[in-house]
Amino acid sequence: MAFDIPRGKITALFGPSGAGKSSVLRLISGLEMAEDGFISNGNETWFDKAKGINLHPQQRSVGFVFQDYALFPHMTVERNVAYGIKEKWRIKEIKDLIDIAGLSGYERHYPAQLSGGQKQRVSLIRAIARKPDILLLDEPFSALDWQTRIQLQEDVKNIIKQFNVTTMYVTHDVSEVYKLANNVIVMESGKEVKRGTPEEVFLGKRLSTRVQVTGKVVGIEHDSIMASVTILHADQFFKTLIDTEELKSLNLRIGDDVVVGVKSSDVILFKI
Amino acid sequence: MNFAAPLLLSLKLSSVTTLLLLVLGVPFAYWLVFTRFRWKFLVESVVALPLVLPPTVLGFYLLMIIGGNSFIGQWYESIFNKPLAFSFQGLVLGSFLYSLPFAVQPIQTAFSSVDKKLLEASWSLGRSNVYTFFRVILPLSRHGIITGCVLSFAHTLGEFGVILMIGGNIPGVTRVASVAIYDEVQSLNYGSANMYAAILLSFSFIILAAVYFINRRFVRTL
């Protein structure tokens, strides 16, 4: 596969697990070596098999955010963030970074004293602190519960925007791509299968005015003309009425898996 | 005869050996953990040999290697003007090899149990291998290093076979506490043998209790 990452933009690498998304990040950062090909950052070559060039991770201007944070457990938040800063005079910027990440007051805390979302924020500003040319995020939200995830996605988007850093991140969550990315590259078994803006890639012809959900039948109540069917979808129960004749022809029983289609003309939306 | 001399000699031997093992064992353990050398398992086997070998076997071969008729023994004598075998320096060499697995193995285990992601994080933050070693690997391995040092110290303190083989029983030079016990029993001085034995026993117990206590505290604080 071959691709360019546009400067100052957020590019998502999307695909099922095992598609090789994380490997792409590891190759870019130099944590793993490619068998062939080349990687360059502007005019600087980071890897070129043909010319025998392979810069160490230390020599590549990257910031890497790991799925499980990889914070140094024996260092405080402050020291973690300062770890990649080599210029002494820049040390005072750490406080600003910690403020931006909403972690003021936690400077002297150790990673074990932080929540998952806080840890990931420390990990993000630690990576940004060294002013990398490219920020790489490896499924940064997957270890978090959904509420934290939604909040953190927002925060990460703002932080990345503020620093205007070129970003590439790995995810298998479509909604995350929509929320964060300008561009998306879809990968399957080590190969690129599609690329474009999230709209181009995901919507296409699949845009529909119908909503479909799958569920399990957990109750059926018969009446003279109509029957009421109780369906469980994820952790939500809902009831729907269908014609008794239709029920007969479907031969529906408790425990069956069903698809429920709803026309999206009269839908109520809630913000969570 | 000076009762304290063998005890002081034991302490001196253990201290020097432990210091040497710390200085050389840490880089050696690092090499063992991170090398891709395909014959590493052979090196590891050699390091671990003293764990299973009768001390007399190690002592015997050491004597062959550093004795007055050997190349190394003669070379040493020509430079320092004294023999290596049956000297304190010879004992240090023997103790060093004999306690090597006790120092290297805990340190090696500690180094290899540092999460690889932390090293990758350090590299991707632009830090060199040396910086990563001192700022990440070493602080996170301190319990292994302390354990290695204390075990080496205790093990050297209790060493007998190797010392007798390459050091003999020269008062003030190679007559350490463990040898003194043997000597006292041979002369039927059970009283003073008991004194040496009791002191070594208590000392070893205190050291081991300290190791377990320290490890428990480190586990709690991390």
Side-chain angles (χ1 to χ4, degrees):
Chain A
M1 65 188 282
F3 56 81
D4 292 314
I5 307 168
R7 254 187 217 290
K9 295 272 198 282
I10 303 180
T11 305
L13 261 181
F14 172 85
S17 29
K21 308 181 300 281
S22 296
S23 299
V24 171
L25 295 196
R26 295 177 64 79
L27 292 177
I28 295 174
S29 61
L31 294 174
E32 265 168 46
M33 199 172 93
E35 284 171 16
D36 209 347
F38 76 92
I39 301 165
S40 65
N41 168 30
N43 295 324
E44 191 183 75
T45 305
W46 284 358
F47 176 77
D48 192 333
K49 179 75 181 177
K51 289 183 186 159
I53 299 173
N54 181 28
L55 295 192
H56 291 296
Q58 295 94 327
Q59 297 164 301
R60 305 183 186 197
S61 180
V62 297
F64 204 111
V65 177
F66 295 86
Q67 186 178 347
D68 46 6
Y69 329 120
L71 296 178
F72 304 119
H74 57 299
M75 295 182 198
T76 58
V77 167
E78 215 167 38
R79 287 184 172 266
N80 263 287
V81 177
Y83 191 86
I85 299 180
K86 289 176 181 166
E87 306 88 349
K88 279 236 164 69
W89 57 271
R90 285 193 53 215
I91 293 291
K92 60 179 182 296
E93 290 175 25
I94 294 166
K95 207 191 161 310
D96 299 339
L97 280 166
I98 291 175
D99 278 349
I100 289 167
L103 290 164
S104 307
Y106 289 93
E107 291 87 349
R108 299 283 159 84
H109 284 56
Y110 285 90
Q113 298 167 298
L114 303 178
S115 71
Q118 289 170 328
K119 283 183 203 167
Q120 200 53 292
R121 278 196 282 249
V122 175
S123 175
L124 179 71
I125 54 171
R126 180 179 70 176
I128 287 180
R130 73 174 293 215
K131 298 194 172 160
D133 287 344
I134 178 166
L135 182 67
L136 304 167
L137 298 97
D138 190 3
E139 305 218 17
F141 311 110
S142 61
L144 305 167
D145 62 82
W146 70 268
Q147 269 173 317
T148 315
R149 195 183 309 165
I150 287 168
Q151 180 59 49
L152 194 62
Q153 284 167 350
E154 206 60 53
D155 296 346
V156 165
K157 191 176 179 175
N158 293 335
I159 293 173
I160 292 174
K161 219 181 208 171
Q162 200 163 338
F163 288 89
N164 194 29
V165 53
T166 308
T167 303
M168 180 162 222
Y169 87 97
V170 157
T171 181
H172 55 251
D173 181 347
V174 179
S175 67
E176 215 171 276
V177 176
Y178 265 91
K179 199 156 186 179
L180 295 173
N182 304 105
N183 298 296
V184 54
I185 298 170
V186 182
M187 280 185 74
E188 262 169 43
S189 33
K191 294 198 169 61
E192 175 192 329
V193 289
K194 239 183 202 179
R195 84 167 71 187
T197 63
E199 287 78 13
E200 285 165 0
V201 168
F202 294 117
L203 281 182
K205 290 173 189 161
R206 284 168 55 197
L207 190 59
S208 148
T209 52
R210 270 194 356 194
V211 178
Q212 289 194 331
V213 293
T214 54
K216 206 176 252 313
V217 177
V218 292
I220 302 172
E221 286 166 50
H222 294 272
D223 212 326
S224 51
I225 317 167
M226 300 295 275
S228 139
V229 182
T230 311
I231 294 162
L232 171 66
H233 167 72
D235 59 351
Q236 286 206 322
F237 293 96
F238 59 91
K239 257 186 181 173
T240 180
L241 293 173
I242 65 166
D243 200 284
T244 323
E245 289 303 312
E246 205 182 325
L247 182 73
K248 258 187 206 157
S249 67
L250 279 172
N251 192 23
L252 212 56
R253 289 166 206 276
I254 288 173
D256 284 349
D257 288 311
V258 288
V259 176
V260 185
V262 185
K263 283 195 179 150
S264 60
S265 53
D266 189 17
V267 175
I268 310 160
L269 293 177
F270 294 98
K271 191 173 166 164
I272 41 176
Chain B
M1 190 193 66
N2 187 352
F3 177 79
L7 284 170
L8 291 176
L9 192 64
S10 279
L11 288 179
K12 185 177 156 197
L13 179 64
S14 298
S15 309
V16 174
T17 305
T18 304
L19 197 69
L20 213 59
L21 281 167
L22 178 67
V23 172
L24 299 174
V26 166
F28 186 52
Y30 182 86
W31 179 81
L32 281 175
V33 171
F34 294 101
T35 184
R36 291 192 186 149
F37 181 51
R38 58 191 289 216
W39 305 108
K40 181 176 107 170
F41 70 98
L42 290 180
V43 180
E44 284 178 311
S45 308
V46 171
V47 172
L49 265 181
L51 291 175
V52 293
L53 219 53
T56 43
V57 173
L58 183 67
F60 174 73
Y61 283 115
L62 265 176
L63 195 58
M64 292 294 107
I65 292 167
I66 66 170
N69 294 326
S70 72
F71 171 73
I72 293 177
Q74 286 175 356
W75 172 79
Y76 184 90
E77 207 165 335
S78 70
I79 294 177
F80 295 100
N81 231 354
K82 57 179 184 180
L84 183 55
F86 304 105
S87 73
F88 182 74
Q89 287 74 13
L91 284 194
V92 171
L93 178 67
S95 310
F96 177 83
L97 293 174
Y98 189 52
S99 292
L100 195 59
F102 289 85
V104 168
Q105 287 184 350
I107 299 174
Q108 193 184 346
T109 308
F111 284 175
S112 55
S113 62
V114 173
D115 188 354
K116 185 93 197 303
K117 282 270 163 61
L118 298 181
L119 311 186
E120 292 183 341
S122 175
W123 300 330
S124 73
L125 288 164
R127 293 304 190 176
S128 65
N129 286 341
V130 175
Y131 190 91
T132 306
F133 175 73
F134 283 106
R135 293 292 303 275
V136 180
I137 300 177
L138 211 53
L140 290 175
S141 304
R142 52 192 175 173
H143 61 282
I145 292 169
I146 294 174
T147 304
C149 285
V150 175
L151 286 180
S152 316
F153 190 89
H155 189 239
T156 308
L157 207 60
E159 191 184 329
F160 175 72
V162 175
I163 291 186
L164 207 59
M165 291 295 284
I166 63 170
N169 186 5
I170 307 166
V173 181
T174 62
R175 191 174 193 241
V176 295
S178 55
V179 175
I181 295 173
Y182 179 74
D183 212 37
E184 297 295 347
V185 171
Q186 292 287 302
S187 326
L188 300 178
N189 290 332
Y190 288 103
S192 61
N194 188 23
M195 291 276 274
Y196 284 125
I199 291 170
L200 280 188
L201 178 72
S202 331
F203 212 81
S204 303
F205 174 76
I206 291 167
I207 287 173
L208 289 177
V211 172
Y212 284 113
F213 179 73
I214 289 166
N215 274 343
R216 203 183 55 167
R217 269 195 50 198
F218 275 132
V219 168
R220 270 211 308 246
T221 52
L222 271 184

